Amino acid sequence: MGFQEAVTKLNEMKKIGLIQDYAIGGGYAVNLYDVPQATYDLDVYVISSPENDLGKLYDHFRKDGLMYY
């Protein structure tokens, strides 16, 4: 999954109310605000909706094939 696909997925999760909001950090953020460097990961920080718990997030990722045991 590329960066654009990940952002699209995060926006979908926000739209359906699974998360309230998110922020992108780590290497991608550094590339925007500092000296560009190679990075192959994406650090995402989410604010979960009050009615959701981590179990619902895990179930969502498993259903989409984005989480493995």
Side-chain angles (χ1 to χ4, degrees), residues 14-27:
K14 190 174 172 180
K15 184 177 179 180
I16 64 173
L18 194 58
I19 61 174
Q20 284 184 351
D21 211 351
Y22 66 91
I24 295 174

Side-chain angles (χ1 to χ4, degrees):
M1 175 182 291
F3 178 78
Q4 189 60 44
E5 293 167 311
V7 170
T8 299
K9 186 67 173 165
L10 288 162
N11 287 329
E12 289 172 7
M13 292 170 57
K14 190 174 172 180
K15 184 177 179 180
I16 64 173
L18 194 58
I19 61 174
Q20 284 184 351
D21 211 351
Y22 66 91
I24 295 174
Y28 272 95
V30 169
N31 283 332
L32 291 174
Y33 299 108
D34 200 10
V35 178
Q37 60 186 5
T39 182
Y40 300 101
D41 67 327
L42 179 64
D43 299 322
V44 178
Y45 308 96
V46 299
I47 299 173
S48 178
S49 297
E51 63 276 358
N52 289 324
D53 60 15
L54 289 178
K56 289 183 181 181
L57 280 173
Y58 292 146
D59 290 342
H60 182 79
F61 289 131
R62 283 188 200 107
K63 180 189 78 166
D64 286 352
L66 299 172
M67 179 177 245
Y68 308 99
Y69 295 100

